[in-house]
């Protein structure tokens, strides 16, 4: 049997594939456009018997049709997306194309493919769509966490595009009986995350002697989940989830951004002390806030716990220590990622925001 994953060369996808290949011989096909966020270094060492990369676009019906006809997957896991909120504020169009139209194209292609299946192949088939808690909008400090029943109130072009995709997935279940599953997960962190996102950006900026940009007052709260826990939850939903249902996935680790920054600094103070003996926390710099910045996300994980037996394995402290360790001990990966396009992004986005200090070597 075979499964098809989209966006598997990105952060969560590559962690998912590595976990999958470690625990199963079932072949995994990865359809990835290899945007700036897709990184061939993440997966190059995998055995071609169990892993195959197809470089292509989820928006292209022919590409998707050919893969489905050739490999006849028993499941499609849709992770391909433009995923960074700040980029969606500068240039939303690509988010609509990939996140909305790409998901629509995958659903259409899956529907045609599903119609050709019979018997156990048909019974087994699943379309699993990986989404975010950001579709639910922002919580006040005293609000209960997001449940599967929370209304959709997306606030950024990114979350609006993911919300649109989620609605399409739901509609394909209701209208066409396509056996879909949707997961809405909180903020992930861990190895191989592109360092435009908060945690890897801060780890690398701290280690290189740059400023640590904190948007606004830094009291925005996220529910952080270690990436391999998210991957475990996706596998559980794929295996045991009820078609047509959605499952929230959280890390049971609500933290505000300033506390996350201080925790990162503490670990790096131990592992790579500054030459002047001060804490890396002196590099923390408050910068202009993000427009439409959601104040708080939090996930109620009761449904996935009770129905599918999933709870996260790693505490925030354990996960953060493993993450910092990974970035400090993989300088080749880091250097290749910090290429021209990444520097262009830093200049564009942070150029106006925070003065940089002297760069150090990792
Ligand atoms: P990422 O940006 O690291 O990776 C996205 C991958 O999708 C890249 O490999 C990229 O090349 C590929 N891709 C982009 N456009 C494509 C297209 N048109 N066709 C084929 N491939 C394309 O993202 P991530 O953080 O790994 O997130 C994966 C999924 O999980 C996304 O759908 C995201 O919305 C969702 N999610 C992410 C988080 C998080 O904290 N990172 C939390 C919840 C949900
Ligand atoms: P991010 O990793 O972009 O995830 P998301 O916006 O999807 O939650 O940001 C996490 C939090 O960190 C969010 O509140 C924005 C904040 N943040 C900063 O304060 N500074 C930064 O440079 C970045 C990238 C994010």
């Amino acid at each position: 049997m075979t499964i098809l994953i989209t966006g598997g060369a990105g952060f969560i996808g590559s962690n998912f594939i590595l976990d999958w290949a470690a625990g199963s011989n079932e072949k995994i096909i990865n359809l990835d456009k290899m945007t700036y966020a897709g990184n061939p270094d993440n997966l190059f060492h995998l055995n071609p018997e169990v892993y195959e990369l197809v470089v292509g676009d989820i928006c292209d019906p022919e590409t998707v049709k050919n893969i489905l006809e050739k490999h006849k997957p028993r499941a499609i896991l849709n992770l391909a997306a433009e995923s960074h909120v700040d980029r969606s504020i500068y240039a939303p169009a690509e988010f609509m194309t990939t996140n909305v139209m790409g998901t629509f194209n995958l659903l259409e292609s899956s529907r045609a493919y599903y119609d050709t299946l019979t018997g156990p192949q048909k019974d087994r088939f699943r379309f699993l769509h990986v989404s975010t808690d950001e579709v639910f909008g922002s919580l006040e400090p005293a609000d209960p966490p997001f449940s599967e029943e929370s209304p959709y109130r997306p606030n950024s072009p990114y979350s609006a595009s993911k919300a649109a995709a989620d609605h399409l997935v739901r509609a394909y279940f209701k209208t066409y009986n396509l056996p879909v599953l949707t997961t809405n997960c909180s903020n992930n962190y861990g190895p191989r995350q592109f360092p435009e996102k908060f945690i890897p950006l801060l780890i690398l900026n701290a280690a290189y002697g740059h400023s640590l940009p904190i948007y606004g007052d830094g009291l925005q709260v996220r529910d952080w989940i270690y990436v391999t826990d998210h991957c475990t939850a996706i596998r559980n939903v794929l295996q045991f989830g009820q078609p047509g249902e959605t499952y929230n996935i959280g890390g049971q680790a609500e933290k505000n951004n300033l506390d996350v920054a201080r925790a990162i600094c503490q670990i790096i103070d131990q592992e790579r002390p500054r030459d002047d003996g001060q804490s890396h926390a002196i590099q923390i710099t408050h910068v202009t806030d993000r427009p439409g910045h959601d104040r708080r996300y939090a996930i109620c994980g009761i449904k996935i716990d009770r129905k599918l037996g999933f709870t996260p394995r790693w505490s925030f402290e354990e996960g953060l220590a493993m993450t910092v360790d990974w970035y400090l001990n993989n300088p080749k990966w880091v250097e290749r990622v910090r290429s021209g396009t990444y520097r262009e992004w830093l200049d564009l986005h942070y150029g106006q925001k925070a003065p940089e200090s002297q760069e150090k070597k990792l």
Side-chain angles (χ1 to χ4, degrees):
M1 286 192 293
T2 302
I3 65 166
L4 169 64
I5 185 170
T6 70
F11 165 48
I12 298 169
S14 60
N15 280 286
F16 183 88
I17 292 171
L18 290 171
D19 274 8
W20 184 272
S24 161
N25 288 327
E26 187 174 359
K27 187 158 185 177
I28 191 157
I29 311 294
N30 174 18
L31 170 60
D32 197 299
K33 190 176 163 186
M34 304 307 271
T35 68
Y36 77 95
N39 187 340
D41 288 356
N42 290 338
L43 298 165
F44 76 97
H45 61 285
L46 285 179
N47 177 353
E49 302 263 300
V50 292
Y51 169 70
E52 184 177 327
L53 171 66
V54 179
V55 178
D57 192 334
I58 59 166
C59 301
D60 179 24
E62 275 305 299
T63 301
V64 178
K65 181 167 170 262
N66 289 341
I67 294 174
L68 296 179
E69 279 176 2
K70 182 173 170 199
H71 295 284
K72 303 202 178 340
R74 64 147 174 125
I76 300 174
L77 276 58
N78 181 29
L79 280 77
E82 289 294 330
S83 67
H84 188 35
V85 173
D86 291 317
R87 285 184 193 255
S88 84
I89 295 168
Y90 286 97
E94 197 59 35
F95 287 72
M96 305 308 136
T97 307
T98 286
N99 299 2
V100 185
M101 293 310 292
T103 303
F104 167 66
N105 180 49
L106 281 178
L107 286 164
E108 270 296 89
S109 305
S110 303
R111 179 164 79 93
Y113 169 66
Y114 183 64
D115 282 347
T116 68
L117 300 178
T118 53
Q121 280 187 321
K122 192 161 197 136
D123 296 341
R124 199 168 43 214
F125 181 77
R126 297 287 183 271
F127 182 102
L128 192 157
H129 175 65
V130 173
S131 189
T132 165
D133 61 354
E134 303 191 25
V135 297
F136 301 122
S138 186
L139 293 168
E140 295 297 325
D143 284 345
F146 300 128
S147 78
E148 287 76 4
E149 308 308 318
S150 296
Y152 272 42
R153 290 199 181 105
N155 292 318
S156 72
Y158 164 66
S159 53
S161 69
K162 293 295 291 186
D166 293 8
H167 289 321
L168 285 168
V169 171
R170 175 189 159 88
Y172 271 66
F173 176 74
K174 294 281 179 187
T175 307
Y176 303 115
N177 293 319
L178 189 71
V180 303
L181 299 154
T182 298
T183 56
N184 294 93
C185 189
S186 59
N187 285 60
N188 286 221
Y189 67 102
R192 300 174 198 85
Q193 186 168 30
F194 193 78
E196 63 189 352
K197 304 281 168 59
F198 186 57
I199 287 185
L201 180 92
L202 260 54
I203 294 171
L204 295 184
N205 279 16
Y208 280 93
H210 292 183
S211 62
L212 309 181
I214 301 291
Y215 296 163
D217 63 9
L219 299 180
Q220 304 83 4
V221 171
R222 299 293 183 262
D223 177 358
W224 293 99
I225 184 168
Y226 191 65
V227 63
T228 56
D229 278 331
H230 185 191
C231 296
T232 304
I234 293 172
R235 285 200 306 275
N236 279 18
V237 172
L238 180 63
Q239 199 174 351
F240 305 115
Q242 178 72 26
E245 293 287 309
T246 70
Y247 297 90
N248 284 0
I249 304 167
Q252 298 176 0
E254 279 190 61
K255 305 275 170 204
N256 75 45
N257 294 339
L258 263 180
D259 285 343
V260 172
R262 291 189 191 112
I264 291 170
C265 290
Q266 248 178 18
I267 301 171
I268 301 184
D269 288 346
Q270 299 291 321
E271 297 204 11
R272 302 284 161 93
R274 281 172 56 99
D275 294 342
D276 61 9
Q278 297 202 67
S279 168
H280 289 84
I282 63 159
Q283 293 164 225
I284 290 176
T285 312
H286 288 264
V287 299
T288 319
D289 206 352
R290 170 191 280 172
H293 196 171
D294 287 334
R295 198 70 185 161
R296 173 176 168 239
Y297 305 141
I299 284 279
C300 167
I302 285 179
K303 178 175 174 181
I304 194 165
D305 181 2
R306 294 221 176 122
K307 302 265 182 199
L308 309 183
F310 170 80
T311 50
R313 170 178 175 190
W314 300 106
S315 71
F316 183 70
E317 291 67 28
E318 290 166 326
L320 194 64
M322 293 190 285
T323 305
V324 173
D325 218 51
W326 191 87
Y327 280 92
L328 295 183
N329 291 306
N330 284 279
K332 274 198 190 134
W333 188 96
V334 168
E335 278 315 317
R336 286 180 63 151
V337 164
R338 293 172 88 242
S339 67
T341 46
Y342 178 60
R343 285 183 179 272
E344 280 163 29
W345 165 250
L346 294 185
D347 288 345
L348 168 73
H349 186 56
Y350 296 101
Q352 305 295 319
K353 292 190 171 202
E356 295 279 14
S357 52
Q358 195 68 39
E359 175 156 336
K360 291 196 313 184
K361 275 261 162 251
L362 256 191

